[in-house]
Amino acid sequence: MVLRRPSRADRSVAGLIPAQVSESWTPLRRRLQKPVQKGQWPGLSACVFVSQRLRLLEEVGYADVEAKIPMTRKTLMRIYSMTKCVVAAAVMQLLEAGQLKLDDELAEHLPSFRNVKVVAERDDGMPDFDRLLPSRRPILIRHLLTHTSGISCGLAPTLDGPRQRTARERAWAGIYMPLVRRVDQGEIKDLAQWVHELAQLPLVSHPGTHYGYGYSYDILGHIIELKSGQKLESYLEAHIFKPLGMRDTSFQLASSPRRLSVLYRRYGVLVGLWSFVSFGTCAAFWFERPVKTAKLVLHAPGAGGVFGRVAGDAEPSTESHCTYTKSKQWGSDGRHFRLVRVDPKKGARSRWAKCLVPSAGGGLSSLEGGLLSTMDDYAKFLLAVTSGGEHCGVRILSVQSAELMMSDLSSLLGSRVPSSARPYDDAGLGLSGIGELQRQKAPSWGGWFDGVPGVRQWGGAASCAFKFDPNKGQPILVMVMTQALPQDDGTTITTLLKDVREVLRL
């Protein structure tokens, strides 16, 4: 394991040089290094900001284990669903400019979404494609922002890895699988064509009734194109990346391939207690526990099985912590657990050398589509949004727009928002423009959720993640970046935030 300790001046993140760190931060550093020391992750870069001041930077392990290339704050990472937060900021810019309203009907901007139909559900929970019901209401822009549009997404086999899906999951996700395959095969030329094809498919739930993680942000990405007259990547470059100095953030691999981290796969024998089944744009959130057998039982009714729970008789494995796959099918030797290269394969080009269809949601194919970024770049973006729309003298959002982006957008769905329209069907959770928001009585079951009101959090399929805690006027922003499938269960980033709170109390 390589542990980098460059000079203090060389350790700036987002243009900020870290403050002198006391010994009280040492245990925190050691805990951050454990996933790499155990071989669960190839490497990581992590940072902590307190009141917009950089307090900690940790860089450990490798971006390319085989070539021994260190992972740093400048390493390019596939951020997958963290692309959505950038797109949400672009939508706030359009709202601010009066080019869009939250209550606009989607069909006003994209007529192909007029008179949409909803797939009926049979008594056994399977979709009834012979019964298409008229939608009870039109899709609004606010529905897209809160994943309550009735649009879910397809399975991404490369991201899912060696997972077994139920017949019900496969049936609902099957609505979108032809689109995933067409993107993989190069038949979809751009986001505009993809959205037009999506509009021909039925919804999986009535708009405004169920939280269904999926392709809503890809539609928002195309709306940005229509309103600006620019391709999505050009708009983001001109209005967010260039102003903030995010020089390395793009949908395409524009710099040296050596700067892009290898994407690895690690996999346990079981996906754990609660599993958020996220088809296509992001790998599932799960808790990994070493057991021999399990079955996945759908938890929520209706649209596409957006929640799953593991049940069944499961005995502890003899492996102390099974976090990889040893299957020959996924690149190991059939005998030993190890990290397995997913992209790029040895001696091949990365799939990001030419992104098939840039995705505003994180991915439309079976692997690529979302933004590439670095911890340094993405920190600039988060600091701007969480600091009232401005970072280092550069403003990308008005104070009001930044406040809207940070607010509980789920609460804006109406005076009586059903819990089914909130993440995890939980009244204690909402959704902001930078991810899930813990409300009063938020869950504290571990993993992603610690029950502290006001915390915003989000992550990507390859285990990049961040959390923001207002912390009673002493705001904390923590980030962890790595490249490992399946997505971390949230424990790493939640533990980091907890440790920072404890250090600040000393």
Side-chain angles (χ1 to χ4, degrees), residues 165-316:
R165 297 291 187 179
T166 65
R168 185 182 175 192
E169 285 182 279
R170 293 194 301 271
W172 284 100
I175 296 172
Y176 305 100
M177 288 312 296
L179 265 182
V180 175
R181 286 192 291 268
R182 291 185 64 195
V183 174
D184 279 340
Q185 294 165 4
E187 297 176 8
I188 305 291
K189 63 181 181 179
D190 57 22
L191 190 56
Q193 180 188 355
W194 185 89
V195 169
H196 177 75
E197 298 286 344
L198 179 70
Q200 313 311 309
L201 303 177
L203 306 182
V204 297
S205 62
H206 292 279
T209 61
H210 285 84
Y211 181 93
Y213 192 79
Y215 294 134
S216 291
Y217 273 68
D218 293 290
I219 300 171
L220 288 170
H222 183 45
I223 290 175
I224 292 168
E225 294 182 326
L226 292 175
K227 295 291 130 182
S228 67
Q230 297 177 281
K231 289 292 187 181
L232 177 62
E233 54 266 45
S234 298
Y235 180 90
L236 297 179
E237 171 66 25
H239 293 84
I240 296 177
F241 303 154
K242 188 174 181 180
L244 289 176
M246 298 170 65
R247 297 180 180 87
D248 295 317
T249 303
S250 173
F251 287 103
Q252 310 281 350
L253 179 56
S255 58
S256 167
R258 287 178 60 85
R259 291 198 56 204
L260 177 64
S261 176
V262 173
L263 175 61
Y264 291 91
R265 185 188 311 285
R266 59 181 177 83
Y267 198 75
V269 181
L270 170 68
V271 295
L273 181 63
W274 281 97
S275 165
F276 174 61
V277 180
S278 164
F279 303 134
T281 52
C282 180
F285 301 116
W286 54 64
F287 299 150
E288 296 175 42
R289 295 194 300 180
V291 298
K292 290 182 178 178
T293 59
K295 59 183 179 179
L296 188 66
V297 181
L298 290 174
H299 173 67
V306 292
F307 301 96
R309 187 170 186 169
V310 168
D313 297 327
E315 298 177 0

Side-chain angles (χ1 to χ4, degrees), residues 18 20 60 69 80 116 153 169 175 221 298 311 352 354 392 422:
Q20 296 290 350
V60 59
I69 299 173
Y80 284 109
V116 291
C153 54
E169 285 182 279
I175 296 172
L298 290 174
W352 270 262
K354 183 173 176 55
C392 290
R422 295 186 177 278

Side-chain angles (χ1 to χ4, degrees), residues 471 498 500-506:
N471 193 39
K498 176 177 175 288
V500 173
R501 292 188 190 117
E502 290 178 358
V503 168
L504 296 178
R505 283 196 288 266
L506 294 178

Side-chain angles (χ1 to χ4, degrees), residues 84 88 91-92 102 139-151 205-217 220 276 404-405 407-414 417-424 429-433 435-436 458:
K84 291 179 176 69
V91 171
M92 296 298 140
L102 289 176
I139 301 173
L140 306 181
I141 298 301
R142 66 174 71 247
H143 293 147
L144 296 171
L145 281 167
T146 54
H147 293 294
T148 57
S149 64
I151 297 168
S205 62
H206 292 279
T209 61
H210 285 84
Y211 181 93
Y213 192 79
Y215 294 134
S216 291
Y217 273 68
L220 288 170
F276 174 61
L404 175 61
M405 185 167 170
S407 70
D408 180 7
L409 298 174
S410 299
S411 295
L412 302 180
L413 290 172
V417 183
S419 63
S420 61
R422 295 186 177 278
Y424 294 88
L429 295 174
L431 193 71
S432 73
E436 294 155 342
W458 204 240

Side-chain angles (χ1 to χ4, degrees), residues 264-472:
Y264 291 91
R265 185 188 311 285
R266 59 181 177 83
Y267 198 75
V269 181
L270 170 68
V271 295
L273 181 63
W274 281 97
S275 165
F276 174 61
V277 180
S278 164
F279 303 134
T281 52
C282 180
F285 301 116
W286 54 64
F287 299 150
E288 296 175 42
R289 295 194 300 180
V291 298
K292 290 182 178 178
T293 59
K295 59 183 179 179
L296 188 66
V297 181
L298 290 174
H299 173 67
V306 292
F307 301 96
R309 187 170 186 169
V310 168
D313 297 327
E315 298 177 0
S317 167
T318 55
E319 300 291 340
S320 60
H321 191 70
C322 301
T323 52
Y324 323 118
T325 174
K326 59 182 178 182
S327 168
K328 291 182 178 179
Q329 178 183 355
W330 298 99
S332 193
D333 59 6
R335 299 187 305 274
H336 305 99
F337 292 101
R338 67 182 187 189
L339 291 171
V340 177
R341 294 175 74 105
V342 175
D343 178 79
K345 299 291 187 182
K346 197 70 174 176
R349 288 198 320 164
S350 169
R351 290 268 292 267
W352 270 262
K354 183 173 176 55
C355 182
L356 297 174
V357 181
S359 168
L364 301 176
S365 73
S366 61
L367 180 63
E368 81 282 359
L371 285 168
L372 299 175
S373 192
T374 66
M375 189 177 72
D376 189 64
D377 270 11
Y378 205 81
K380 294 174 184 176
F381 168 73
L382 288 177
L383 287 168
V385 174
T386 59
S387 304
E390 180 181 1
H391 174 61
C392 290
V394 176
R395 179 166 294 282
I396 60 167
L397 294 172
S398 68
V399 173
Q400 293 78 10
S401 294
E403 289 176 350
L404 175 61
M405 185 167 170
M406 294 288 290
S407 70
D408 180 7
L409 298 174
S410 299
S411 295
L412 302 180
L413 290 172
S415 57
R416 300 176 65 184
V417 183
S419 63
S420 61
R422 295 186 177 278
Y424 294 88
D425 196 11
D426 196 305
L429 295 174
L431 193 71
S432 73
I434 60 167
E436 294 155 342
L437 186 155
Q438 294 187 162
R439 294 154 44 88
Q440 294 294 330
K441 299 183 180 180
S444 56
W445 58 55
W448 286 96
F449 302 105
D450 64 4
V452 177
V455 171
R456 282 86 166 167
Q457 59 194 30
W458 204 240
S463 300
C464 294
F466 69 85
K467 282 188 175 242
F468 174 78
D469 182 2
N471 193 39
K472 300 177 180 178

